[in-house]
Amino acid sequence: MSDLDRQIAALNPAQRAAVSHGAGPLLVLAGAGSGKTRVVTFRIARLVRDGVPPGHILALTFTNKAAAEMRSRCADLMPGVANIGDLTVSTFHSFGARFLRRHAARLGRTPDFTLYDDDDQVALLKRVFEASGLGQRASEAREVRDALDRAKNAGRPLAAADLPPEILSAGGADIGARYEEMLARANAFDFGDLIIRPAELLAADPALAASVRARWPWVLVDEFQDTNAAQLSWLQQLAPAEATSNLCVVGDDDQSIYGWRGADVGNILNFAQTWPGATTVRLERNYRSTGHILGAANGVIAQNRGRLGKTLFTEDGAGDRLEVRSFATPRDEARWVAQRIQTLCRDEGHTPADFAILLRTNALSLDLEEALRGARLPSVTLRGRSFYERAEVRDAVAWLRLVVNPDDDVAFRRALGAPPRGVGETSVDKLAAAAQAAGVSLHTASGRGLVALRGAAVEGLRGFLTELAQARAAVGVGAPAERIAATLLEPLRERLRHEGARNEDARARAENVERLLVALQSWRQENPAGGLGDWLESVKLVSDADDHDPSRGAIALLTIHAAKGLEFPVCFVVGLEDGVFPHRRGEDDPDAIEEERRLCYVALTRARRRLALTWCRERRTFAETRRNPPSRFLAEIPSADVEPHVDHTPAPAQTLRPRFGKQLPRPDDDLYRDATWDDADGDGDAGGLRAGVSVWHGELGRGKVVSVGRGHGATAVVEFPGVGRRTIVARFLSVYEDPGDHWDT
């Protein structure tokens, strides 16, 4: 038996079934922590062992980090395979860029085209508005950019109905077409094009589609639940259902959390209908979390109707129950989190790097950051501004983009002012008008002398074009990319160094340009055959998830979206209140609530050993202070998985019945401003409260109602064991359906 055979034999039965599956479509429903990357890589290795040439296998995923890990694992599994380098493991967007460079001429571009990111698109749309006589309209440019992204994610062109009313009323119904014209003139594609254009080319050219399918008859897709309509269309061209399709997709419908950016959970839910005859394998054994953590996650996600269904389990023991705490204010919540981390470090030997604090939105981080600083605990807030989004870095990259693609108008405008050369906006506008009239790029218009500039602008533009021409000539004779970049960026570096002698911020900007050059040099060492254009493409295709470094030795504060794919020994999920998590924007939309619940499931399954959940009774926003009920997701966690706690814990899942009936009100509901309570039990008492009913209070624990008041500001007199009688505002009490449960502590 070979080493690979022994490793396959050691897989669990479900994993072996997925790895051993032969021809035909396959859906692997891989629960959180179930070893999906192991399954994908072992399946590739098994295919190669059984005679499939590595060059016939295409594996697609969403991040460079995931692609690199998959590629490395495959190489480790097949050390004796000489042609393993023929295996194609790529992100969707990298594969799309590679495809379009090969077929750029079909779409009116050259292979040296530029990729436009969100900021580039906004800058181009401003130019489109100006050329259309609409002015710059910065806010509408961002709205149109978002509409463009939504349309391309859906696999279709921008329609007039997608545009903001202000644009339509100003006569801009053809903005989408004008944008595409100027994008082509700049020899550029945007990120949506990297998916939608290959699908269109394959659909329009059956011979091309057939050749692509012959090249890659085996297609594997990771994180399939995150695909959008355009990606689904592309996959249907690569592996059509009507042909013998060897498409294998791996994903988890319960972790589909990117609907807001175009992902369609229906792609995975309907896989068996899209590819009839597909085999489904469920990976349910979890190798990450303890039994109580999985019990909580299973309890929450089971409430969703739109799912294929699976139940995670572990063979590694129940572990510690979840800690659930409520607090008066976010500051109290943050202090408790910091103190709890200190205690766990002291008593259980944890280090700060073992902890993650998961947030529904970044807006929740301030109190936590202050509390951690006060406790002298090192922390890092992840998902901040990317290095490549900083102004001085974008200036430098604009210069390098022009060397590769001089027709890139967005880069031309940016580089022309970095550093300033006396070519002002008026001069650039004259140049742009001439270029627009001639139907050429700014660079071409400048070279042809189509506009008469005056004074310093003439010398400034001439010097700019000379430096650019010298750099492009150096590329033509094969000079190393890092040497070209260092020479070309010297004026920008010199200006920043000069400013940095007096200004600390400018010094940091100069250092960032140096870091960019170091990054290029490091990349070239790893990719000696790569050119400047290849490096620029790799920079553009870096995703947020690729920036995470788990070795920073500090507590991680990050959004739950940013945490997907990561795991930590101890997790705190804060802000579990209706209106915060689930977010209030989706409270009236059942599909949005299901996605919020999936987000909660992702949060819970990031924890390996310990998990704490917190909520606050009041949370202040810029405009007001909201009194929030606990998140409905807390009430879905089985009480057996929660650590009993009298002082702060909200009522347990299976015994707490929301005091407002089946559906908790929104935080801005009138019930929070006026005590005209929902007659949940039809008895006329406040929120179903009446003498003799058992209730739960967030701080005083369980008690029994003695009497209930009525009208504005309704209160109840409650007898609390060991505390005595207290008069409590009725909205802070929750009714038990089963007063005899184990929470009577």
Side-chain angles (χ1 to χ4, degrees), residues 5-54:
D5 287 330
R6 281 191 292 271
Q7 293 183 71
I8 292 176
L11 299 174
N12 69 45
Q15 291 174 330
R16 279 199 305 275
V19 168
S20 303
H21 177 79
L26 171 66
L27 167 61
V28 181
L29 276 180
S34 63
K36 70 177 179 64
T37 304
R38 186 175 179 84
V39 166
V40 173
T41 53
F42 270 78
R43 178 167 173 77
I44 292 172
R46 200 273 303 165
L47 289 171
V48 173
R49 183 205 66 185
D50 290 350
V52 176

Side-chain angles (χ1 to χ4, degrees), residues 182-243:
M182 292 188 72
L183 193 65
R185 186 182 303 161
N187 192 31
F189 288 111
D190 59 35
F191 279 90
D193 288 328
L194 298 184
I195 306 299
I196 192 173
R197 302 305 176 200
E200 290 175 348
L201 285 177
L202 293 178
D205 189 338
L208 176 62
S211 69
V212 170
R213 292 167 197 155
R215 171 72 171 81
W216 290 290
W218 296 87
V219 180
L220 298 93
V221 180
D222 192 19
E223 304 287 5
F224 184 67
Q225 78 281 347
D226 293 337
T227 55
N228 58 35
Q231 286 160 331
L232 181 69
S233 176
W234 191 12
L235 289 172
Q236 288 175 303
Q237 294 297 326
L238 291 172
E242 61 271 14

